[in-house]
């Protein structure tokens, strides 16, 4: 028998073992998928029971796991949390989170509104949106990043009596991302077409605003693990905070810290674009100081259309360049 006569049986054996390997691999994948689905439901039930034992009602109503075999999808009709002891409550609409087989460690979740909240010291809120999507890049012990993107945001009060709700704000879009960098937490965010209802801020008028920023919370990983009860001892590094409307723009950058006594220290740089337009906005927002604002910004405008000024705060005492601004009360 020649070598050419031996090839077909050898090829068939290879194909057989390849097919057998694929069948075993698929069986292992299927077993793992259904194990994780069952484990998720069990963990959710155990977590809910543990919270309920502590007087907290929380849950994901009608929790379901689907998507086999190409994805892992978790959905529920609504999410609710209620802690009567602390008088805190929150609820949202449906949740649909999907981890695709090609990117199992990067799930994407869509959450439907509205979000209704209640907490001591603030009125009940009703926040809604056209679309809200969250993306997580899973890692250990912390996610590599968590990002949110929303469109058509709006917020209003949610009275518990017969009084009418008050519109608070609306925004065309908003986005944010949290990412650990060493022991710090970095935040990058932006919003567009933000409109704040004048009635919500004492009748003060503000135009539509756009904003963006990047801030690093020092030692943020530890602070997330054990949230502090005070701002004292905390510090941030502002890479950029940018607020604009039309031709007016304010950009702030620099470090800010709060010492053990609650006194603020900061070394900031403030950049202005079109100071006269900025003054007009601030004058409308703070009409009781409109004259002083216009006078001060008239001097700043002499430095050019895009001046840069140092804002220094030392032990709570603030000054803009050589102009003293007063003292900031100690923070709690």
């Amino acid at each position: 028998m020649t070598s050419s006569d031996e090839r077909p049986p050898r090829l068939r054996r290879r194909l057989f073992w390849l097919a057998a390997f694929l069948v075993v691999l698929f069986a292992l994948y299927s077993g793992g998928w259904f194990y994780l689905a069952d484990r998720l439901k069990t963990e959710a039930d155990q977590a809910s029971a543990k919270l309920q034992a502590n007087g907290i009602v929380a849950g994901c109503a009608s929790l379901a796991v689907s998507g086999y075999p190409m994805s892992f999808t978790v959905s529920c009709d609504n999410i609710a949390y209620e802690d009567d002891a602390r008088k805190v409550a929150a609820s949202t609409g449906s949740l649909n989170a999907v981890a695709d087989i090609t990117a199992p460690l990067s799930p994407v979740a869509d959450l439907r509104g509205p979000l209704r909240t209640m907490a001591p010291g603030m009125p009940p809120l009703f926040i809604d949106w056209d679309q809200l999507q969250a993306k997580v890049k899973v890692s250990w012990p912390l996610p590599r990043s968590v990002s949110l993107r929303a469109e058509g945001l709006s917020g209003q009060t949610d009275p518990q009596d017969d009084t009418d709700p008050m519109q608070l704000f609306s925004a065309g879009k908003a986005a944010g991302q949290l990412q650990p960098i060493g022991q710090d937490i970095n935040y990058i965010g932006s919003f567009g077409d933000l409109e704040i209802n004048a009635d919500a801020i004492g009748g003060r008028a503000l135009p539509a605003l756009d904003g963006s920023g990047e801030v690093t919370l020092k030692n943020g990983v530890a602070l997330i693990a054990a949230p502090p009860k005070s701002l004292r001892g905390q510090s941030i590094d502002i890479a950029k905070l940018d607020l604009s409307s039309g031709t007016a723009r304010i950009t702030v950058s620099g470090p800010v810290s709060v010492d053990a006594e609650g006194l603020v220290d900061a070394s900031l740089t403030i950049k202005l674009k079109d100071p006269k337009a900025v003054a007009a906005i601030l004058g409308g927002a703070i009409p009781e100081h409109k004259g002083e604002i216009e006078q001060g910004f008239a001097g700043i405008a002499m430095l050019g259309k895009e001046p840069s000024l140092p804002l220094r705060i030392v032990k709570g005492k603030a000054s803009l360049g050589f102009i003293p601004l007063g003292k900031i009360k100690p923070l709690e």
Side-chain angles (χ1 to χ4, degrees), residues 10 27 30 40 51 63 65 103 119 129 146 165 213 215 225 231 233 292 323:
R10 185 179 300 175
S30 299
L40 176 65
L51 288 171
L63 175 65
V65 181
W129 51 84
V146 177
V215 178
L231 292 174
E292 297 98 310
I323 306 171

Side-chain angles (χ1 to χ4, degrees), residues 236-271:
I236 61 173
D237 187 7
I238 303 172
K240 184 186 74 169
L241 288 179
D242 189 280
L243 192 64
S244 65
S245 179
T247 59
R249 183 184 299 273
I250 300 177
T251 304
V252 180
S253 61
V256 181
S257 62
V258 183
D259 66 17
E261 285 72 42
L263 297 175
V264 177
D265 289 290
S267 180
L268 302 173
T269 298
I270 298 180
K271 295 180 180 180

